[in-house]
Amino acid sequence: DQAEVAKLQARIAQSNASSKEPASASSKADTATTPGELASSVPSVQIAEGAHKYVLVSAVDPVLRSGESEPLRRDFVVSRHGAAYHRNAAEPLVYLLEERGYADIRVKGGGRILLDSEKKKIHIFGYSYGFGLADHAKSKSIIEADDRYEGFSVTWSNDGY
């Protein structure tokens, strides 16, 4: 899988090198949807029920918001049911971010997330051989900021694989 991770990282680097300048929040896309609406439609947290591989990804928002001097960097936490490798969790999000105009996309690391909605518990742990250890504390804070997980107990550990 490390060879496939290297290919994905090379493709991301090539995409980042050819990224365009951020659009202004008032410019219109071809579909009459603003770039800001497209960018904000990418949720910061996408985690699957059960225990699955996850990645922490960061990217620069394609829209320069009113009052900002530079575009914001957003962080994303994503796990995928059935992801055999961490790159399988990363690839769909990376493609979506590229499609929505995000720049400087970086897979910051990985691990596993156990989501038990019935017990309202989320546990973040482990690491990725291909992408390295994610900052689980950061992943925890991103999840806790998502209203869908209000009232959940979110814990993390660097133990395990």
Side-chain angles (χ1 to χ4, degrees):
D1 184 54
Q2 289 187 339
E4 292 301 317
V5 166
K7 285 181 191 175
L8 177 61
Q9 288 175 322
R11 198 182 64 64
I12 291 170
Q14 183 179 15
S15 175
N16 287 342
S18 64
S19 290
K20 298 175 184 166
E21 290 294 314
S24 72
S26 63
S27 66
K28 293 283 182 185
D30 292 339
T31 63
T33 301
T34 67
E37 289 169 335
L38 286 173
S40 21
S41 69
V42 180
S44 295
V45 179
Q46 301 173 51
I47 51 178
E49 186 73 27
H52 304 286
K53 290 182 169 80
Y54 98 96
V55 289
L56 174 62
V57 176
S58 73
V60 174
D61 193 306
V63 176
L64 184 59
R65 311 268 180 211
S66 177
E68 295 176 355
S69 60
E70 57 186 61
L72 296 175
R73 176 167 286 281
R74 287 186 60 198
D75 295 305
F76 303 88
V77 173
V78 62
S79 76
R80 294 271 185 248
H81 175 75
Y85 300 102
H86 288 91
R87 71 175 166 81
N88 300 126
E91 285 172 330
L93 176 63
V94 167
Y95 291 132
L96 179 62
L97 294 173
E98 289 173 332
E99 180 181 278
R100 299 290 167 86
Y102 281 82
D104 196 19
I105 300 167
R106 300 177 191 172
V107 180
K108 306 293 278 183
R112 292 179 187 259
I113 292 183
L114 169 61
L115 168 61
D116 185 335
S117 295
E118 190 173 300
K119 293 180 179 177
K120 296 193 119 183
K121 291 186 177 185
I122 298 171
H123 184 60
I124 308 161
F125 61 99
Y127 61 94
S128 163
Y129 279 114
F131 295 114
L133 177 66
D135 181 344
H136 298 325
K138 183 173 214 164
S139 297
K140 176 186 176 189
S141 69
I142 295 164
I143 293 168
E144 288 176 330
D146 189 311
D147 292 341
R148 294 174 294 169
Y149 302 105
E150 185 175 336
F152 278 64
S153 168
V154 184
T155 59
W156 67 272
S157 166
N158 285 335
D159 297 334
Y161 167 73

